Amino acid sequence: MDLIRKPLALALALLLLPAVVSATTLRYTDHEPLGAMRTRFIKDVLFPAIEKESHGRLKIEEHWGGELSTGYDALRTVREGNNADIGIVVPEYSAKELPLHQLFKSFPTGPSGDKQIAFFRRVYAEIPAFPAELAKNGVVDIFLSTGYPVAFFSTHPLEKLQNIKGTAWRSASFWHQNFLRNAGATPVTTPWGEQTVNAFKTGKLDGILVNIDSGYDLKIQKMAPEVIVSKELWLGHLYLLVMNHKVWNGLAQEDKDAITRAANTAYKVAGSMMDHSVEPQLDALRKDGANVRVLQHSEVTYWQEVTGYQDIQANWVKNQEAAGVKDVASTLQKVSKVMEEEMK
Protein backbone atom coordinates (compact mmCIF):
# COMPACT_ATOMS: atom_id res chain seq x y z
CA MET A 1 0.00 0.00 0.00
CA ASP A 2 2.90 2.38 0.69
CA LEU A 3 4.00 1.92 -2.90
CA ILE A 4 0.61 3.27 -3.96
CA ARG A 5 0.14 5.95 -1.31
CA LYS A 6 3.54 7.64 -1.80
CA PRO A 7 3.14 8.31 -5.55
CA LEU A 8 -0.42 9.54 -4.95
CA ALA A 9 0.73 11.84 -2.16
CA LEU A 10 3.54 13.19 -4.34
CA ALA A 11 1.14 13.82 -7.24
CA LEU A 12 -1.30 15.61 -4.90
CA ALA A 13 1.50 17.75 -3.49
CA LEU A 14 2.59 18.78 -6.98
CA LEU A 15 -0.95 19.76 -7.87
CA LEU A 16 -1.14 21.98 -4.79
CA LEU A 17 2.09 23.83 -5.62
CA PRO A 18 1.61 27.39 -7.05
CA ALA A 19 1.81 27.51 -10.82
CA VAL A 20 5.08 28.75 -12.24
CA VAL A 21 4.60 32.07 -14.01
CA SER A 22 5.85 32.03 -17.59
CA ALA A 23 7.49 35.44 -18.08
CA THR A 24 7.78 37.38 -21.32
CA THR A 25 11.00 39.37 -21.53
CA LEU A 26 10.85 42.68 -23.39
CA ARG A 27 14.16 44.08 -24.60
CA TYR A 28 14.38 47.85 -24.01
CA THR A 29 16.65 50.31 -25.82
CA ASP A 30 17.45 53.86 -24.73
CA HIS A 31 20.00 56.15 -26.36
CA GLU A 32 20.72 57.98 -23.10
CA PRO A 33 22.75 56.54 -20.20
CA LEU A 34 21.03 55.62 -16.98
CA GLY A 35 21.32 58.39 -14.42
CA ALA A 36 19.36 61.50 -15.41
CA MET A 37 15.84 62.18 -14.15
CA ARG A 38 14.02 60.73 -17.17
CA THR A 39 15.96 57.49 -17.34
CA ARG A 40 15.81 56.95 -13.57
CA PHE A 41 12.04 57.51 -13.64
CA ILE A 42 11.56 54.87 -16.32
CA LYS A 43 13.74 52.37 -14.47
CA ASP A 44 12.56 53.09 -10.93
CA VAL A 45 8.86 53.82 -11.51
CA LEU A 46 7.52 52.61 -14.87
CA PHE A 47 9.32 49.29 -15.26
CA PRO A 48 8.61 48.07 -11.71
CA ALA A 49 4.97 49.07 -12.20
CA ILE A 50 4.79 46.94 -15.38
CA GLU A 51 6.24 43.91 -13.60
CA LYS A 52 3.96 44.45 -10.60
CA GLU A 53 0.77 44.95 -12.61
CA SER A 54 1.53 41.88 -14.74
CA HIS A 55 2.28 39.81 -11.61
CA GLY A 56 5.72 39.03 -13.00
CA ARG A 57 4.53 37.88 -16.41
CA LEU A 58 6.36 40.79 -18.06
CA LYS A 59 10.06 41.40 -17.47
CA ILE A 60 12.16 44.26 -18.87
CA GLU A 61 15.67 43.61 -20.14
CA GLU A 62 17.24 47.08 -20.00
CA HIS A 63 19.86 48.44 -22.40
CA TRP A 64 20.96 52.06 -21.83
CA GLY A 65 23.38 54.49 -23.41
CA GLY A 66 22.85 53.44 -27.01
CA GLU A 67 23.93 49.86 -26.37
CA LEU A 68 21.37 48.50 -28.85
CA SER A 69 20.58 51.57 -30.93
CA THR A 70 21.32 55.27 -31.32
CA GLY A 71 18.50 57.75 -30.86
CA TYR A 72 18.43 58.37 -34.60
CA ASP A 73 17.98 54.66 -35.37
CA ALA A 74 15.61 53.84 -32.51
CA LEU A 75 12.39 53.89 -34.55
CA ARG A 76 13.81 51.49 -37.11
CA THR A 77 15.30 49.27 -34.39
CA VAL A 78 12.01 48.86 -32.53
CA ARG A 79 10.01 48.55 -35.77
CA GLU A 80 12.23 45.70 -37.02
CA GLY A 81 12.14 44.01 -33.62
CA ASN A 82 15.36 42.06 -34.12
CA ASN A 83 17.37 43.69 -31.32
CA ALA A 84 14.70 45.44 -29.23
CA ASP A 85 10.99 45.09 -28.50
CA ILE A 86 10.46 48.46 -26.82
CA GLY A 87 12.43 51.69 -26.72
CA ILE A 88 12.57 55.45 -26.64
CA VAL A 89 11.88 57.29 -29.89
CA VAL A 90 12.46 61.05 -30.16
CA PRO A 91 10.10 62.36 -32.88
CA GLU A 92 12.49 65.02 -34.20
CA TYR A 93 15.12 62.31 -34.80
CA SER A 94 12.65 60.66 -37.17
CA ALA A 95 11.12 63.72 -38.82
CA LYS A 96 10.67 62.03 -42.19
CA GLU A 97 8.84 59.04 -40.71
CA LEU A 98 6.88 61.06 -38.12
CA PRO A 99 6.08 64.40 -39.79
CA LEU A 100 2.92 65.17 -37.79
CA HIS A 101 4.79 64.64 -34.53
CA GLN A 102 6.96 67.65 -35.40
CA LEU A 103 3.97 69.90 -34.62
CA PHE A 104 4.46 69.60 -30.87
CA LYS A 105 7.46 71.93 -30.81
CA SER A 106 5.79 74.54 -32.99
CA PHE A 107 4.32 76.41 -30.00
CA PRO A 108 6.37 78.96 -28.02
CA THR A 109 4.23 78.62 -24.89
CA GLY A 110 2.37 75.73 -23.32
CA PRO A 111 1.48 73.86 -20.13
CA SER A 112 3.99 72.28 -17.77
CA GLY A 113 4.07 69.41 -15.30
CA ASP A 114 0.82 67.56 -14.84
CA LYS A 115 -0.98 69.75 -17.39
CA GLN A 116 1.69 68.99 -19.98
CA ILE A 117 1.15 65.28 -19.45
CA ALA A 118 -2.59 65.84 -19.74
CA PHE A 119 -2.01 67.68 -23.03
CA PHE A 120 -0.07 64.83 -24.64
CA ARG A 121 -2.45 62.17 -23.34
CA ARG A 122 -5.44 64.07 -24.75
CA VAL A 123 -3.71 64.51 -28.10
CA TYR A 124 -3.11 60.77 -28.46
CA ALA A 125 -6.58 59.90 -27.19
CA GLU A 126 -8.53 62.45 -29.23
CA ILE A 127 -6.52 62.85 -32.45
CA PRO A 128 -6.24 59.50 -34.29
CA ALA A 129 -3.61 60.86 -36.69
CA PHE A 130 -0.84 60.46 -34.09
CA PRO A 131 -1.38 56.80 -33.10
CA ALA A 132 -1.96 56.13 -36.81
CA GLU A 133 1.39 57.67 -37.71
CA LEU A 134 3.08 55.38 -35.20
CA ALA A 135 1.14 52.36 -36.47
CA LYS A 136 2.27 53.15 -40.00
CA ASN A 137 5.82 52.80 -38.70
CA GLY A 138 5.14 49.50 -36.99
CA VAL A 139 5.05 50.68 -33.36
CA VAL A 140 2.49 51.51 -30.69
CA ASP A 141 2.87 54.09 -27.91
CA ILE A 142 3.18 52.72 -24.37
CA PHE A 143 4.21 55.79 -22.38
CA LEU A 144 4.64 59.49 -23.20
CA SER A 145 7.65 60.90 -21.36
CA THR A 146 7.94 64.69 -21.41
CA GLY A 147 10.39 67.36 -20.31
CA TYR A 148 10.71 70.59 -18.36
CA PRO A 149 10.07 74.15 -19.59
CA VAL A 150 12.60 75.80 -21.87
CA ALA A 151 14.85 78.55 -20.48
CA PHE A 152 17.11 81.29 -21.84
CA PHE A 153 20.73 80.88 -20.67
CA SER A 154 22.65 84.05 -21.56
CA THR A 155 26.23 85.25 -21.16
CA HIS A 156 24.91 88.80 -20.69
CA PRO A 157 22.07 90.15 -18.52
CA LEU A 158 18.63 90.06 -20.11
CA GLU A 159 16.61 92.79 -18.43
CA LYS A 160 14.14 92.22 -21.25
CA LEU A 161 13.77 89.65 -24.01
CA GLN A 162 14.36 92.29 -26.66
CA ASN A 163 18.03 92.18 -25.63
CA ILE A 164 18.58 88.97 -27.59
CA LYS A 165 18.52 91.01 -30.82
CA GLY A 166 21.83 90.88 -32.65
CA THR A 167 23.22 88.04 -30.52
CA ALA A 168 23.97 84.40 -31.36
CA TRP A 169 21.79 81.67 -29.82
CA ARG A 170 21.86 77.91 -30.00
CA SER A 171 18.76 75.70 -30.27
CA ALA A 172 18.43 72.16 -31.59
CA SER A 173 14.84 72.64 -32.81
CA PHE A 174 14.20 74.15 -36.24
CA TRP A 175 11.03 75.68 -34.77
CA HIS A 176 12.97 77.45 -32.02
CA GLN A 177 15.62 78.54 -34.48
CA ASN A 178 12.87 80.29 -36.43
CA PHE A 179 11.52 81.81 -33.22
CA LEU A 180 14.95 83.21 -32.40
CA ARG A 181 15.41 84.54 -35.91
CA ASN A 182 12.05 86.34 -35.83
CA ALA A 183 13.02 87.83 -32.45
CA GLY A 184 16.16 89.32 -34.00
CA ALA A 185 18.76 86.79 -32.83
CA THR A 186 21.09 84.72 -34.99
CA PRO A 187 20.44 80.97 -34.66
CA VAL A 188 23.58 78.83 -34.34
CA THR A 189 23.73 75.05 -34.70
CA THR A 190 26.23 73.07 -32.63
CA PRO A 191 26.17 69.43 -31.50
CA TRP A 192 25.10 69.01 -27.88
CA GLY A 193 27.87 68.40 -25.40
CA GLU A 194 31.51 69.43 -25.52
CA GLN A 195 31.12 71.32 -28.79
CA THR A 196 28.38 73.48 -27.28
CA VAL A 197 30.59 74.20 -24.28
CA ASN A 198 33.48 75.14 -26.58
CA ALA A 199 31.19 77.44 -28.60
CA PHE A 200 30.59 79.46 -25.43
CA LYS A 201 34.28 79.47 -24.54
CA THR A 202 35.26 80.79 -27.99
CA GLY A 203 32.54 83.45 -27.99
CA LYS A 204 30.60 81.81 -30.84
CA LEU A 205 27.50 81.71 -28.64
CA ASP A 206 25.85 84.43 -26.56
CA GLY A 207 23.09 82.19 -25.32
CA ILE A 208 21.20 78.95 -25.57
CA LEU A 209 17.50 78.10 -25.55
CA VAL A 210 17.20 74.75 -23.78
CA ASN A 211 15.17 72.96 -21.13
CA ILE A 212 16.13 73.80 -17.55
CA ASP A 213 17.39 70.35 -16.57
CA SER A 214 19.55 69.83 -19.67
CA GLY A 215 21.12 73.25 -19.19
CA TYR A 216 22.00 72.38 -15.61
CA ASP A 217 23.33 68.92 -16.53
CA LEU A 218 25.78 70.45 -19.02
CA LYS A 219 26.67 73.24 -16.55
CA ILE A 220 25.67 75.90 -19.06
CA GLN A 221 25.12 78.26 -16.11
CA LYS A 222 28.91 78.37 -15.62
CA MET A 223 29.33 80.04 -19.02
CA ALA A 224 25.92 81.67 -19.41
CA PRO A 225 24.84 82.54 -15.85
CA GLU A 226 22.00 84.92 -16.75
CA VAL A 227 18.94 82.65 -16.81
CA ILE A 228 15.35 83.67 -17.47
CA VAL A 229 12.56 81.18 -17.04
CA SER A 230 8.81 80.66 -16.95
CA LYS A 231 6.65 77.59 -16.56
CA GLU A 232 4.74 78.92 -19.58
CA LEU A 233 7.75 78.66 -21.88
CA TRP A 234 7.14 75.51 -23.91
CA LEU A 235 9.70 73.05 -25.13
CA GLY A 236 7.32 70.38 -26.38
CA HIS A 237 10.01 67.71 -26.26
CA LEU A 238 8.57 64.23 -26.25
CA TYR A 239 10.24 60.91 -25.52
CA LEU A 240 7.95 58.26 -26.97
CA LEU A 241 8.25 54.89 -25.27
CA VAL A 242 6.99 52.60 -28.02
CA MET A 243 6.62 48.86 -28.56
CA ASN A 244 6.98 46.80 -31.70
CA HIS A 245 3.46 46.42 -33.10
CA LYS A 246 3.72 42.66 -33.63
CA VAL A 247 5.01 42.16 -30.10
CA TRP A 248 2.13 44.24 -28.73
CA ASN A 249 -0.44 42.27 -30.73
CA GLY A 250 1.13 39.05 -29.49
CA LEU A 251 0.59 39.90 -25.84
CA ALA A 252 -2.36 38.51 -23.93
CA GLN A 253 -5.07 41.07 -23.21
CA GLU A 254 -4.34 40.84 -19.49
CA ASP A 255 -0.74 41.89 -20.17
CA LYS A 256 -1.81 44.78 -22.40
CA ASP A 257 -4.12 45.90 -19.60
CA ALA A 258 -1.26 45.57 -17.09
CA ILE A 259 0.93 47.87 -19.20
CA THR A 260 -1.89 50.41 -19.44
CA ARG A 261 -2.41 50.37 -15.67
CA ALA A 262 1.33 50.73 -15.08
CA ALA A 263 1.49 53.72 -17.45
CA ASN A 264 -1.45 55.38 -15.68
CA THR A 265 0.30 54.95 -12.34
CA ALA A 266 3.53 56.38 -13.75
CA TYR A 267 1.72 59.38 -15.25
CA LYS A 268 0.35 60.35 -11.84
CA VAL A 269 3.79 60.15 -10.25
CA ALA A 270 5.45 62.01 -13.16
CA GLY A 271 3.02 64.93 -13.09
CA SER A 272 3.41 65.49 -9.36
CA MET A 273 7.19 65.09 -9.55
CA MET A 274 7.56 67.59 -12.38
CA ASP A 275 5.30 70.15 -10.73
CA HIS A 276 7.27 70.01 -7.50
CA SER A 277 10.80 69.82 -8.90
CA VAL A 278 11.01 72.99 -11.02
CA GLU A 279 11.75 75.25 -8.05
CA PRO A 280 14.47 72.95 -6.64
CA GLN A 281 16.10 72.97 -10.08
CA LEU A 282 16.06 76.77 -10.12
CA ASP A 283 17.54 76.81 -6.61
CA ALA A 284 20.29 74.47 -7.80
CA LEU A 285 21.07 76.89 -10.64
CA ARG A 286 21.24 79.78 -8.17
CA LYS A 287 23.56 77.84 -5.86
CA ASP A 288 25.80 77.20 -8.85
CA GLY A 289 26.15 80.93 -9.51
CA ALA A 290 23.28 81.63 -11.90
CA ASN A 291 21.15 84.77 -11.74
CA VAL A 292 17.67 83.37 -12.27
CA ARG A 293 14.79 85.66 -13.19
CA VAL A 294 11.20 84.50 -13.66
CA LEU A 295 9.47 86.23 -16.55
CA GLN A 296 6.31 88.21 -15.99
CA HIS A 297 3.29 87.04 -17.95
CA SER A 298 3.49 90.15 -20.17
CA GLU A 299 7.02 89.15 -21.18
CA VAL A 300 5.83 85.65 -22.06
CA THR A 301 3.09 87.22 -24.18
CA TYR A 302 5.72 89.33 -25.94
CA TRP A 303 7.76 86.21 -26.73
CA GLN A 304 4.68 84.45 -28.06
CA GLU A 305 3.95 87.37 -30.37
CA VAL A 306 7.48 88.15 -31.56
CA THR A 307 8.15 84.54 -32.59
CA GLY A 308 5.49 84.74 -35.29
CA TYR A 309 4.87 81.06 -34.64
CA GLN A 310 1.53 80.91 -36.43
CA ASP A 311 3.09 82.11 -39.70
CA ILE A 312 5.87 79.57 -39.24
CA GLN A 313 3.28 76.85 -38.66
CA ALA A 314 1.34 77.89 -41.78
CA ASN A 315 4.45 77.75 -43.98
CA TRP A 316 5.40 74.38 -42.56
CA VAL A 317 1.91 73.03 -43.23
CA LYS A 318 2.14 74.13 -46.88
CA ASN A 319 5.52 72.45 -47.29
CA GLN A 320 4.32 69.20 -45.73
CA GLU A 321 1.18 69.12 -47.83
CA ALA A 322 3.28 69.76 -50.93
CA ALA A 323 5.40 66.78 -49.91
CA GLY A 324 2.29 64.58 -49.78
CA VAL A 325 1.68 64.44 -46.02
CA LYS A 326 -2.05 64.06 -45.32
CA ASP A 327 -4.27 65.90 -42.82
CA VAL A 328 -1.58 68.36 -41.73
CA ALA A 329 -3.77 71.48 -41.47
CA SER A 330 -6.63 69.71 -39.71
CA THR A 331 -4.22 68.01 -37.29
CA LEU A 332 -2.59 71.33 -36.42
CA GLN A 333 -6.03 72.84 -35.81
CA LYS A 334 -6.95 70.00 -33.43
CA VAL A 335 -3.63 70.19 -31.56
CA SER A 336 -4.00 73.96 -31.21
CA LYS A 337 -7.47 73.49 -29.72
CA VAL A 338 -6.19 71.04 -27.10
CA MET A 339 -3.26 73.35 -26.33
CA GLU A 340 -5.59 76.31 -25.83
CA GLU A 341 -7.84 74.34 -23.49
CA GLU A 342 -4.98 72.93 -21.43
CA MET A 343 -3.49 76.43 -20.99
CA LYS A 344 -6.64 77.74 -19.31
Side-chain angles (χ1 to χ4, degrees):
M1 291 296 292
D2 285 343
L3 293 176
I4 296 175
R5 289 194 187 99
K6 287 181 179 178
L8 286 174
L10 178 61
L12 181 60
L14 290 173
L15 285 173
L16 294 175
L17 287 174
V20 177
V21 175
S22 178
T24 297
T25 300
L26 301 171
R27 298 161 299 170
Y28 173 76
T29 178
D30 198 307
H31 60 283
E32 293 184 350
L34 179 63
M37 192 173 295
R38 178 189 67 80
T39 54
R40 292 302 322 182
F41 181 87
I42 289 174
K43 178 178 176 60
D44 297 340
V45 178
L46 179 62
F47 287 168
I50 290 175
E51 294 197 18
K52 178 182 177 182
E53 291 292 344
S54 68
H55 299 287
R57 294 187 305 271
L58 298 176
K59 302 289 186 183
I60 310 297
E61 179 185 300
E62 304 166 19
H63 296 273
W64 306 93
E67 182 182 338
L68 298 183
S69 175
T70 67
Y72 293 95
D73 292 331
L75 179 60
R76 176 182 57 80
T77 299
V78 178
R79 179 181 65 236
E80 293 176 351
N82 297 323
N83 297 320
D85 306 300
I86 56 176
I88 288 294
V89 169
V90 177
E92 64 186 314
Y93 293 170
S94 301
K96 183 178 179 181
E97 295 84 356
L98 303 174
L100 294 179
H101 279 74
Q102 307 311 305
L103 283 170
F104 295 137
K105 284 197 169 183
S106 69
F107 299 89
T109 61
S112 65
D114 196 51
K115 285 191 173 183
Q116 180 175 224
I117 291 174
F119 165 80
F120 280 116
R121 294 188 72 184
R122 279 192 60 188
V123 164
Y124 278 82
E126 299 175 13
I127 308 176
F130 289 103
E133 193 168 72
L134 294 179
K136 184 179 178 181
N137 284 276
V139 298
V140 58
D141 62 289
I142 300 302
F143 185 74
L144 309 172
S145 182
T146 62
Y148 288 91
V150 74
F152 292 82
F153 288 75
S154 174
T155 58
H156 302 95
L158 291 177
E159 291 87 0
K160 53 185 180 179
L161 276 173
Q162 287 88 332
N163 290 351
I164 70 172
K165 292 180 180 179
T167 57
W169 283 74
R170 189 256 189 203
S171 176
S173 167
F174 71 88
W175 296 104
H176 292 157
Q177 290 171 8
N178 283 323
F179 295 169
L180 290 165
R181 187 177 292 108
N182 284 351
T186 300
V188 175
T189 302
T190 64
W192 183 251
E194 185 178 353
Q195 293 185 56
T196 295
V197 173
N198 289 336
F200 274 108
K201 290 179 178 178
T202 60
K204 182 180 179 180
L205 284 178
D206 297 300
I208 186 170
L209 193 58
V210 69
N211 48 306
I212 299 169
D213 50 320
S214 290
Y216 179 81
D217 289 343
L218 199 58
K219 300 299 180 184
I220 297 296
Q221 64 275 11
K222 294 293 187 181
M223 300 157 292
E226 304 296 330
V227 183
I228 55 177
V229 300
S230 170
K231 289 183 179 180
E232 296 178 82
L233 290 177
W234 171 256
L235 178 63
H237 197 67
L238 185 64
Y239 296 92
L240 282 163
L241 202 164
V242 299
M243 180 181 289
N244 177 282
H245 207 279
K246 291 181 180 178
V247 173
W248 173 259
N249 287 339
L251 293 177
Q253 186 60 48
E254 61 181 345
D255 288 334
K256 293 178 182 178
D257 293 341
I259 291 174
T260 300
R261 290 194 302 272
N264 288 337
T265 298
Y267 282 132
K268 293 177 182 177
V269 177
S272 176
M273 181 188 73
M274 292 176 71
D275 281 329
H276 290 92
S277 61
V278 172
E279 287 303 323
Q281 288 186 65
L282 298 184
D283 288 339
L285 285 170
R286 293 185 180 101
K287 290 178 182 178
D288 211 22
N291 298 315
V292 179
R293 183 173 74 86
V294 178
L295 290 172
Q296 296 179 7
H297 180 69
S298 59
E299 294 178 284
V300 175
T301 300
Y302 163 79
W303 174 246
Q304 187 176 37
E305 293 173 350
V306 77
T307 59
Y309 76 97
Q310 291 175 317
D311 290 336
I312 298 171
Q313 287 176 334
N315 289 331
W316 184 83
V317 166
K318 290 179 181 178
N319 291 335
Q320 293 300 309
E321 289 177 339
V325 181
K326 305 296 184 182
D327 303 321
V328 187
S330 61
T331 301
L332 172 59
Q333 185 178 19
K334 293 172 184 177
V335 172
S336 298
K337 183 175 183 293
V338 176
M339 175 67 79
E340 181 180 350
E341 291 175 355
E342 289 299 329
M343 283 292 286
K344 291 180 180 178

